[in-house]
Amino acid sequence: MLTKPKALKQTGTIISIDTVAKTFVCKWQTNDWAYKVTDKTVFRAKGKTADFADLKLNSRVSMTFHMEGKQRVADLVTIQQ
């Protein structure tokens, strides 16, 4: 039986964006975590739909993600500022 990956939540500040690999790195407290973006990742900003191109360095984001092996995969990214 296939179990759905557990949805995890995180808030952080974007410190790096790789538009080719479709990944971004968030700083959270003392850790830096890389997140992968897929076709299913949803971006929101100011209550509207956004996209990967709307991510900016030093943006504060909160997100829901799941783990695929050791990779964090973003499901929902909310750009807070």
Side-chain angles (χ1 to χ4, degrees), residues 1 3 5-8 10 16 19-21 23-24 26 30 35 43-44 49-50 53-54 57 62 68 70 73:
M1 191 165 120
T3 56
K6 185 175 186 292
L8 303 161
Q10 192 80 348
S16 154
T19 53
V20 177
T23 60
F24 61 94
C26 262
T30 58
Y35 295 89
F43 293 91
R44 305 281 297 165
T49 302
D54 292 311
L57 289 177
S62 61
E68 281 182 10
K70 297 202 179 296
V73 180

Side-chain angles (χ1 to χ4, degrees), residues 10-54:
Q10 192 80 348
T11 300
T13 303
I14 294 180
I15 58 168
S16 154
I17 301 169
D18 185 333
T19 53
V20 177
K22 287 273 200 182
T23 60
F24 61 94
V25 177
C26 262
K27 183 168 189 62
W28 184 77
Q29 291 180 347
T30 58
N31 296 315
D32 297 346
W33 303 110
Y35 295 89
K36 183 177 174 208
V37 173
T38 68
D39 302 346
K40 295 187 176 114
T41 304
V42 176
F43 293 91
R44 305 281 297 165
K46 299 184 177 84
K48 295 188 168 65
T49 302
D51 59 36
F52 187 74
D54 292 311

